[in-house]
Amino acid sequence: MRMRWIAALAVCALGCGVGLAQGAASTGLAMTPPMGWNSWNHFAGKVTEQDVKNAADALVSSGMRDAGYVYVNVDDTWQGTRDAQGVLHANDKFPDMKALGDYIHSKGLKFGIYSSPGPHTCARYEGSYGHEQQDADLYASWGVDYLKYDLCSYRELMSAGAADHPNDPDYANKMMKAAYVKMHEALEKTGRPIVFSLCQYGWDDVWTWGASVGGNLWRTTGDIKDNYDSMSKIGFGQAGLAKYAGPGHWNDPDMLEVGNGHMSADEYRTHMSLWALLAAPLLAGNDLSKMPDETKSILMNKGVIAVDQDRLGRQGDRVSQNGLLEVWSKPLSGGAVAVGLFNRGTSPAEMSVKLSDVGMSSAGKITDLWSGKMVKAKDGEVKASVPVHGVVLLRVEP
Ligand code: GLA
C-alpha cells in the first residue's frame, strides 16, 4: 500500500509542479506578506476556542485589525478524530469550527488553520495523510482562508520512501514536493481562495521551489524562540534570500515573539524592524488580550508596517556588516528605501550609513520610524546612536 502511494506521488512530483507557480500567482493571494495572529508561540498545545475568540476580539479593539493584522490562525492541537466516513472532527477544545470561522469573519477577520501532510502533526494530532481532498473540502466548508501545512510526521514517510529507492538521491525531496502539490491542488479544487503556507523548516532550499508547489509562503528556518539569540540568528540569517520573495510568494522566517516577555523593548523593535525589512509575514504570537502599551506600539507602528507591506513587494537584504554592526535595506515603491542600522553587540554603538550605499544619490526626507523624528543627512551620510541589541530604522524618501 505504502509503495503504491509513494509511486503515485513520485509521478506527480515529476510532472505536476511546473504549471503551479502560475496557479499560485493567479489566485492573487498574499500580494503583500500575510499579517495576523497565530496561536502557537504563546498558547501552544493549550489553545482553546475561547483563546482564539479573545484574540479576534483583541485584534479589533486594539486597532491591530485596522493596522493590517487580519488572519486569525489556529495552529496545532485543534484536531480530534475521524469518523467512519473519514471526516475529521475537532477536539473538545474546539466545539464548533464552522461557528468559530463565522465569528472570526463577523469581525472582519480571516480564519486560518493548521495541518500536516503526514498521518500526524508535530504535536501528534491527526494529520491529512490520505485525506487531503476531504480535509481541504472540510476547511472550505468552515470558511478557512489560510492553511499552514507542517511537514512533521511526513518526514518518516520520506525516510521510508528514500530507503525504498536507494538509487534516487532526490526521492525524499520529490515526495515532499508532491505532498505540497497534492494539498495545493486540493485547496484549488475547493474553489475557495486559501493562502497556502508551507512549513518544512527551510529544508532543501525551499525558497527555490516553494512557489512552484503552490506555496504563498514558506518557512525558511526552524522554530523561533522568545529570546534574542534565537530571533537574531534567524532574522540576520536571512541574508541572500531576497530574490526568492515577491507578491504571492514570501520567505517566512517564522512568527513574531513580540510581547511574549523574554526580550527587551529594543530587542523586540529589532525583531519587528528586521521582519519588516525582510518583507516577512507579520503573525503576532503573543496573548493579544493582555497587551501592554509598549507591545502595542511595537506591533502597530504604522511606518514599520508600511515597510513590510510596501506594494513593490521586494525583500530587503544586508548592505554591510562590521563585526556586530549591520546595515540592511529594502527598496520601497516610489524610489524610497528603508534602512535598518542594527547593533547586535552588548554596548551602545555609533553607526553611520552613506546614502550611496543604499542606492540613493540624495535624500528628500528621512524619518526615524521608531522615534518619529526627522533625520538629516550630512555630506551624504546619516549617523545614529544605536542601543544594545537595538535598531534605528529609517525611511529615506528620494
Ligand atoms: C512545528 C512548527 C511550529 C508549530 C508546531 C506545532 O514545530 O514549526 O511553528 O506549528 O510545529 O506543533
Side-chain angles (χ1 to χ4, degrees):
M1 177 61 192
R2 195 189 78 215
M3 286 293 291
R4 210 174 64 212
W5 177 80
I6 288 170
L9 271 180
V11 170
C12 189
L14 297 171
C16 300
V18 185
L20 285 166
Q22 286 149 356
S26 71
T27 60
L29 283 172
M31 296 311 280
T32 59
M35 290 178 68
W37 172 84
N38 174 294
S39 60
W40 188 255
N41 282 355
H42 180 82
F43 293 95
K46 294 203 179 87
V47 66
T48 64
E49 180 193 77
Q50 194 56 52
D51 296 326
V52 177
K53 285 185 168 175
N54 291 347
D57 293 348
L59 282 172
V60 178
S61 63
S62 65
M64 281 179 73
R65 178 196 62 189
D66 296 341
Y69 293 86
V70 293
Y71 287 97
V72 179
N73 294 352
V74 182
D75 207 276
D76 206 350
T77 79
W78 63 266
Q79 308 87 336
T81 50
R82 294 187 188 277
D83 63 23
Q85 283 69 48
V87 177
L88 181 58
H89 296 265
N91 60 42
D92 292 349
K93 299 191 295 160
F94 290 89
D96 189 340
M97 291 298 265
K98 168 80 172 78
L100 179 58
D102 288 346
Y103 185 85
I104 289 168
H105 291 140
S106 77
K107 306 255 158 189
L109 297 163
K110 291 174 185 287
F111 184 23
I113 207 165
Y114 167 99
S115 190
S116 169
H120 297 107
T121 66
C122 292
R124 306 303 289 175
Y125 284 69
E126 186 74 16
S128 292
Y129 173 63
H131 295 272
E132 292 81 0
Q133 190 64 56
Q134 202 170 19
D135 285 0
D137 292 341
L138 182 70
Y139 306 151
S141 78
W142 288 344
V144 163
D145 306 294
Y146 185 116
L147 173 67
K148 173 175 170 184
Y149 208 43
D150 194 349
L151 200 62
C152 304
S153 67
Y154 191 77
R155 286 178 286 193
E156 293 149 33
L157 298 179
M158 284 162 50
S159 304
D164 286 343
H165 295 81
N167 297 327
D168 185 352
D170 294 330
Y171 202 80
N173 172 270
K174 285 180 196 161
M175 280 182 68
M176 178 161 51
K177 288 179 178 162
Y180 282 112
V181 165
K182 192 168 197 179
M183 184 49 97
H184 171 63
E185 290 182 341
L187 294 174
E188 292 266 287
K189 234 172 148 184
T190 68
R192 189 174 171 87
I194 298 177
V195 171
F196 191 34
S197 156
L198 315 187
C199 181
Q200 45 80 283
Y201 338 111
W203 285 11
D204 293 351
D205 295 346
V206 62
W207 41 88
T208 63
W209 53 266
S212 76
V213 299
N216 295 116
L217 59 156
W218 44 83
R219 279 272 298 277
T220 54
T221 74
D223 290 11
I224 194 168
K225 292 197 181 64
D226 184 22
N227 63 64
Y228 182 75
D229 197 40
S230 164
M231 180 278 291
S232 60
K233 262 196 197 125
I234 287 178
F236 293 109
Q238 303 298 299
L241 298 188
K243 67 169 182 252
Y244 303 104
H249 53 100
W250 308 100
N251 289 309
D252 172 10
D254 208 358
M255 304 168 293
L256 297 173
E257 292 283 7
V258 175
N260 277 332
H262 293 97
M263 287 189 244
S264 69
D266 279 324
E267 291 171 339
Y268 283 139
R269 279 188 281 270
T270 290
H271 187 4
M272 189 74 187
S273 305
L274 200 42
W275 264 235
L277 288 165
L278 293 169
L282 297 179
L283 295 169
N286 56 318
D287 181 356
L288 302 180
S289 67
K290 297 190 187 79
M291 267 195 296
D293 286 345
E294 186 165 76
T295 301
K296 288 186 194 165
S297 74
I298 295 172
L299 287 172
M300 283 194 280
N301 181 306
K302 283 208 170 76
V304 179
I305 291 174
V307 169
D308 181 78
Q309 295 289 302
D310 188 85
R311 62 187 157 79
L312 204 56
R314 297 267 307 273
Q315 179 171 330
D317 217 330
R318 184 189 282 141
V319 175
S320 63
Q321 184 173 17
N322 176 8
L324 295 170
L325 307 179
E326 301 197 14
V327 178
W328 286 61
S329 77
K330 176 186 198 283
L332 303 173
S333 50
V337 57
V339 182
L341 307 169
F342 293 95
N343 175 9
R344 300 177 68 177
T346 49
S347 42
E350 297 305 317
M351 292 183 67
S352 65
V353 59
K354 287 200 185 82
L355 293 175
S356 57
D357 288 344
V358 296
M360 304 287 272
S361 48
S362 65
K365 185 172 125 188
I366 306 175
T367 316
D368 176 331
L369 295 177
W370 288 112
S371 74
K373 292 188 178 135
M374 296 301 145
V375 176
K376 285 222 157 7
K378 216 174 147 198
D379 302 327
E381 196 172 42
V382 181
K383 290 188 174 14
S385 307
V386 189
V388 175
H389 288 182
V391 60
V392 169
L393 184 64
L394 305 170
R395 184 184 177 102
V396 185
E397 302 288 346

